[in-house]
């Protein structure tokens, strides 16, 4: 067997199952949007309109957002896999394998997994689009015509998904595989310059958001662009300083869990490794922020309709209906980002619990019951996911309100803050499901291992 074969680098390909699921979802989503754009383009060509072109542009934006979240999730997932196999990778380095060889082996394994996932997702997307199209044609909602079953852009989408996975793998493995020493320190050294740059970026983005609100009051079309770039700048700053920001927020959330032995250990585990804490939550934070931004922004626009001058009751009702439909469509289109992030969170939690088998065995030997172990893992999962969801809702609410103000500030009295209760309730309910999915299966596996066997794990 080659010293740098994927079986030695990542173990079983099951370790990369989350990568495969993310690629299936990303490819299926991209293919579905491309197929919808193709149908609308065909209708537009017959009617002489440009709806298909507009849908293509919108689809491209949402596909790029989904691929960005997928890249973050895959990169963090690869980092987690490497963190759980440092001993094996160090042994490979000792027998002569270089960091480049290990990285190439890892990328090769990920590309194989991503290709299978991307092709599977594309097939599901094409099949689903074909079924929906046939049903609509049969009902008379969609006119019969010569529609393209497999748009050529689907091949590009598959390539984009696989390329995103490969690039994310290189980024995720760069830090861990670049170390030449076998003895690694668990202490994370933060760059003060990087922290200062992240803080300056966040402040700069916040100033752009204020400028966007001012431009909106002046009815300037540049307001929305200022809001977009301001939100993007704040997001870049948060990602750059996530290693400092996220563990601090998780530590605050952990203190709310109580003072029981399970809660105290869960709180310490949640922040003991800042890098693990960050990679567990940052993808979910981004996904929730995107969904909340769209939902709150559209809600703020809907609420502002009542203050628009010169509109009759029928006009207000029609505008609210149109905005509600647009909100539902946009939230549905962006929700895949949160789903992808949730898959990454569940995978990361599962891998980290498996990596702490020896620690859990020691706790069992000291007298911890299975119930206490399950509570510990659940509380840790709640602290991590709860932090990401609360922070995401806060950022999304601010971004959405500023976006709405930049568009209709000149014709709206006051500053509208949209709070879509159904969407927020769905996010909270999804968090509960996510906590259970991320904590119960790994906790059951951890408790099922006898303490003696767990302590024997290297």
């Amino acid at each position: 067997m080659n010293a740098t074969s994927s079986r030695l680098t990542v173990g079983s390909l099951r370790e990369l199952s989350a990568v495969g699921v993310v690629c299936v979802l990303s490819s299926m989503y991209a293919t579905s949007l491309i197929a919808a754009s193709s149908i609308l383009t065909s209708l537009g060509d017959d009617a002489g309109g440009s709806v298909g072109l507009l849908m293509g542009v919108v689809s491209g934006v949402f596909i790029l957002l989904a691929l960005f979240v997928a890249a973050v999730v895959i990169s963090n997932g690869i980092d987690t896999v490497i963190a759980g196999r440092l001993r094996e990778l160090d042994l490979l380095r000792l027998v002569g394998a270089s960091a480049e060889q290990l990285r190439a082996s890892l990328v090769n394994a990920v590309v194989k997994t991503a290709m299978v996932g991307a092709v599977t997702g594309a097939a599901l997307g094409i099949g689903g689009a074909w079924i929906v199209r046939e049903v609509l044609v049969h009902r008379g909602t969609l006119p019969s015509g010569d529609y393209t079953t497999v748009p050529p852009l689907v091949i590009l989408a598959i390539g984009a998904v696989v390329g995103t996975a490969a690039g994310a793998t290189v980024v995720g493995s760069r830090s861990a595989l670049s170390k030449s020493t076998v003895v690694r320190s668990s202490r994370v050294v933060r760059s003060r310059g990087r922290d200062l740059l992240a803080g300056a970026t966040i402040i700069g983005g916040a100033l752009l958001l204020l400028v966007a609100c001012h431009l909106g009051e002046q009815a300037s079309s540049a307001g929305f662009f200022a809001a977009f770039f301001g939100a993007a700048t704040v997001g870049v700053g948060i990602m750059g300083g996530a290693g400092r920001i996220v563990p601090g927020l998780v530590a605050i959330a952990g203190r709310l869990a109580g003072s029981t032995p399970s809660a105290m250990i869960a709180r310490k585990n949640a922040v003991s490794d800042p890098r693990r804490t960050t990679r567990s939550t940052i993808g979910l934070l981004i996904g929730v922020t995107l969904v909340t931004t769209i939902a709150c922004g559209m809600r703020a626009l809907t609420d502002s309709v009542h203050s628009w001058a010169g509109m009759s009751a029928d006009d207000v009702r029609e505008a609210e209906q149109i905005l509600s439909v647009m909100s539902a469509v946009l939230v549905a289109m962006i929700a895949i980002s949160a789903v992808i992030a949730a898959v990454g969170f569940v995978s990361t939690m599962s891998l980290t619990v498996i990596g702490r088998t020896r620690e859990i065995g020691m706790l069992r030997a000291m007298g911890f019951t299975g119930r206490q172990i399950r509570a510990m893992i659940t509380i840790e999962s709640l602290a991590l996911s709860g932090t990401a969801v609360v922070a995401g809702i806060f950022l999304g609410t601010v971004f959405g309100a500023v976006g709405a103000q930049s568009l209709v500030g000149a014709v709206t009295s006051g500053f509208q803050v949209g709070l879509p209760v159904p969407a927020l309730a769905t996010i909270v309910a999804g968090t509960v499901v996510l906590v259970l999915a991320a904590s119960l299966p790994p906790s059951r596996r951890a408790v099922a291992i006898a303490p003696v066997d767990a302590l024997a794990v290297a």
Side-chain angles (χ1 to χ4, degrees):
M1 181 183 296
N2 191 313
T4 56
S5 69
S6 59
R7 289 185 61 185
L8 293 177
T9 308
V10 300
S12 170
L13 288 180
R14 290 171 58 187
E15 300 282 350
L16 302 177
S17 58
V19 174
V21 174
V22 167
C23 290
V24 169
L25 292 174
S26 301
S27 181
M28 182 172 62
Y29 175 70
T31 302
S32 300
L33 290 183
I34 290 172
S37 299
S38 177
I39 293 174
L40 291 177
T41 299
S42 299
L43 293 176
D45 291 341
D46 295 337
S50 58
V51 178
L53 178 60
L54 178 61
M55 179 63 182
V57 173
V58 174
S59 298
V61 172
F62 281 97
I63 289 172
L64 288 177
L65 287 174
L67 288 177
F68 172 72
V69 175
V72 172
V73 169
I74 293 173
S75 177
N76 292 333
I78 293 300
D79 198 7
T80 303
V81 171
I82 292 174
R85 294 186 60 81
L86 288 180
R87 182 182 178 88
E88 291 81 358
L89 294 175
D90 285 338
L91 289 175
L92 290 174
R93 296 294 296 274
L94 284 175
V95 299
S98 66
E100 290 73 18
Q101 288 176 315
L102 295 177
R103 187 176 294 109
S105 173
L106 190 60
V107 170
N108 183 48
V110 169
V111 167
K112 291 179 181 177
T113 304
M115 181 61 73
V116 173
V119 172
T120 302
L124 292 174
I126 291 172
W130 181 83
I131 292 173
V132 171
R133 188 188 69 207
E134 291 300 313
V135 170
L136 292 178
V137 170
H138 180 71
R139 290 182 175 180
T141 306
L142 193 68
S144 58
D146 186 17
Y147 299 107
T148 303
T149 303
V150 183
L153 286 178
V154 170
I155 305 300
L156 181 60
I158 294 175
V161 171
V162 176
T164 299
T169 301
V170 173
V171 173
S173 63
R174 182 176 54 190
S175 175
L177 295 182
S178 63
K179 296 183 174 70
S180 59
T181 178
V182 175
V183 181
R184 290 175 168 85
S185 172
S186 59
R187 184 168 176 249
V188 177
V189 180
R190 291 285 305 174
S191 169
R192 184 175 179 82
R194 180 175 179 177
D195 290 338
L196 290 175
L197 179 60
T201 303
I202 294 174
I203 293 174
L207 292 177
L208 275 176
L209 294 177
L210 292 176
V211 170
C213 292
H214 175 71
L215 292 175
E217 293 285 349
Q218 305 301 317
S220 172
S221 58
F224 181 75
F225 294 99
F228 175 81
F229 286 111
T233 302
V234 171
V236 170
I238 290 175
M239 291 188 65
R244 181 79 68 182
I245 298 171
V246 173
L249 294 177
V250 172
I252 295 174
R255 293 191 184 97
L256 303 177
S259 58
T260 63
S262 297
M264 293 176 64
I265 296 178
R267 182 167 65 245
K268 293 183 181 299
N269 279 336
V271 296
S272 61
D273 185 350
R275 285 187 60 187
R276 179 181 67 83
T277 302
T278 302
R279 64 177 176 249
S280 297
T281 56
I282 191 65
L284 188 59
L285 171 60
I286 295 172
V288 173
T289 300
L290 290 173
V291 173
T292 308
T293 298
I294 298 295
C296 290
M298 295 303 297
R299 182 64 189 180
L301 286 175
T302 304
D303 292 342
S304 68
V305 170
H306 296 280
S307 61
W308 295 357
M311 294 187 66
S312 64
D314 291 338
D315 293 335
V316 170
R317 191 161 41 249
E318 183 179 357
E320 288 181 338
Q321 184 178 7
I322 293 174
L323 289 172
S324 297
V325 173
M326 288 179 60
S327 177
V329 172
L330 291 175
V331 170
M333 292 178 70
I334 199 64
I336 189 66
S337 300
V339 174
I340 291 173
V343 170
F345 179 80
V346 172
S347 173
T348 301
M349 276 299 300
S350 180
L351 290 174
T352 53
V353 171
I354 292 173
R356 299 209 306 265
T357 300
R358 183 180 176 86
E359 171 197 327
I360 293 173
M362 188 176 297
L363 291 174
R364 294 289 304 281
M366 292 171 60
F368 264 60
T369 64
R371 182 176 182 179
Q372 287 177 309
I373 295 295
R374 286 191 290 269
M376 178 189 73
I377 296 173
T378 301
I379 292 172
E380 181 181 353
S381 175
L382 180 61
L384 294 171
S385 61
T387 298
V389 169
V390 171
I393 289 177
F394 172 77
L395 290 174
T397 302
V398 172
F399 293 161
V402 172
Q405 185 71 8
S406 68
L407 290 173
V408 296
V411 295
T412 302
S413 59
F415 185 81
Q416 294 289 339
V417 178
L419 293 175
V421 175
L424 297 180
T426 301
I427 292 174
V428 172
T431 303
V432 174
V433 175
L434 182 63
V435 169
L436 295 177
S439 60
L440 292 183
S443 63
R444 286 198 190 100
R445 288 195 297 267
V447 171
I449 302 176
V452 175
D453 296 332
L455 290 171
V457 176

